[in-house]
Amino acid sequence: MENKVPIVPVVSSFSGLTMPVIGMGTASYPPVDAGTLKSAIVEAIRAGYRHFDTAFIYGSEQPLGAAIAEALNIGLIKSRNELFITSKLWCTYAEPDLVIPAIKMSLENLQLEYLDLYLIHWPLKFSKEVSRLPVPKEEVSVIDIKSVWSAMEECQLLGLTKAIGVSNFSSRKLEEILSFAKIPPAVNQVEMNPLWQQKELNEYCKAKGIHVSAHSPLGSKGTLWGDNRIFDCHALKEIAEAKGKTIAQRWQICLRWVYEQGASVIAKSFNKKRMEENLEIFDWSLSVEELEKIRGLPQCKFNSIGTFIEPSAELEAQL
């Protein structure tokens, strides 16, 4: 089956890795059952998706692994090498002696021998398993990034992952890593959409050779931390109409905008028709005037860390 999704190079001094521009996200809120998720991933592979984004905390590693096994069995793909699989180190395991056991646990869940990309999920350490949200602030600290990053580098050197990176990191935390890293982060996966454009962070990452991958490109509608602001945005409705898109298709404007910023994008839908429509952003472009209209939109972050941990000015000052 021909892969419909273009690939984009991931800049890293230790890797000539390439990754598909659009990945399928597997996090869901509220969670879907494993069978539903597995079936959706198989359909996504059938539609042409080759990049899948998971994480230990999502609970989606095992269904993704089962879907990959089924896709191989029924001939949708000939080899695991056709896929790009990303997973993430959860905050409970953000200690140097827990990193390698954590990635091995993810690999076992996925039934894989290696990941393509392993990310530190947040620049945070939880002192114990999360039993409620928000996490009590006394159980949260900033990770010892130097020792944890060294363990991440070891994961790559051992062949457990082809590349390593971070998620939800500021330019200040990236600067800290770059000051001692032997293997620099290949990717920073962050929230990025027309209402949270991350212009300065994106420019910083480009200058440092760190590829930006965008999560929450539609503002996380339907989650604890998201809302309908993107779907209710009048300017995006106008652009969608001008492009001949239905009001319900205006998410394509967001995906195309992210793509035109030079970032890859993690889009989540378990609806077969919408999965296919998410790939239909490469045969048209946004005009200068449309990009200028988006550039002027009021900015508001959706995926606030305050959703996950109790407010702590001291902690936020270190991130």
Side-chain angles (χ1 to χ4, degrees), residues 80-199:
R80 177 265 181 266
N81 295 340
E82 295 178 34
L83 301 179
F84 189 101
I85 307 298
T86 298
S87 194
K88 307 177 190 76
L89 175 76
W90 183 235
C91 304
T92 309
Y93 304 103
E95 294 184 10
D97 59 338
L98 297 181
V99 173
I100 290 176
I103 192 174
K104 287 183 176 179
M105 183 164 47
S106 289
L107 289 171
E108 182 177 352
N109 288 339
L110 288 158
Q111 305 174 56
L112 299 178
E113 294 182 355
Y114 68 91
L115 295 173
D116 294 279
L117 180 63
Y118 195 48
L119 307 176
I120 299 175
H121 206 146
W122 286 89
L124 299 171
K125 167 74 178 73
F126 294 165
S127 61
K128 57 185 179 181
E129 289 290 344
V130 176
S131 57
R132 66 178 177 89
L133 292 177
V135 181
K137 59 186 177 182
E138 60 270 15
E139 295 178 13
V140 183
S141 59
V142 176
I143 64 174
D144 177 357
I145 190 60
K146 187 171 185 178
S147 63
V148 171
W149 189 254
S150 177
M152 293 287 287
E153 291 174 328
E154 187 66 16
C155 289
Q156 181 167 333
L157 294 172
L158 289 171
L160 300 173
T161 183
K162 289 187 173 181
I164 51 177
V166 296
S167 180
N168 304 305
F169 271 54
S170 65
S171 54
R172 181 169 64 176
K173 297 304 291 184
L174 288 169
E175 192 72 30
E176 185 179 350
I177 293 177
L178 292 173
S179 70
F180 53 73
K182 297 175 182 176
I183 304 176
V187 169
N188 186 19
Q189 186 185 114
V190 296
E191 177 186 354
M192 185 178 180
N193 55 61
L195 297 188
W196 189 244
Q197 297 178 16
Q198 299 272 36
K199 185 173 184 292

Side-chain angles (χ1 to χ4, degrees), residues 54-76:
T54 185
F56 175 81
I57 194 62
Y58 299 163
S60 60
E61 289 177 333
Q62 289 183 343
L64 174 54
I68 293 169
E70 181 169 325
L72 286 165
N73 186 51
I74 64 179
L76 290 179

Side-chain angles (χ1 to χ4, degrees), residues 15-32:
S15 175
L17 204 61
T18 57
M19 67 190 294
V21 167
I22 294 184
M24 178 183 176
T26 61
S28 60
Y29 184 88
V32 299

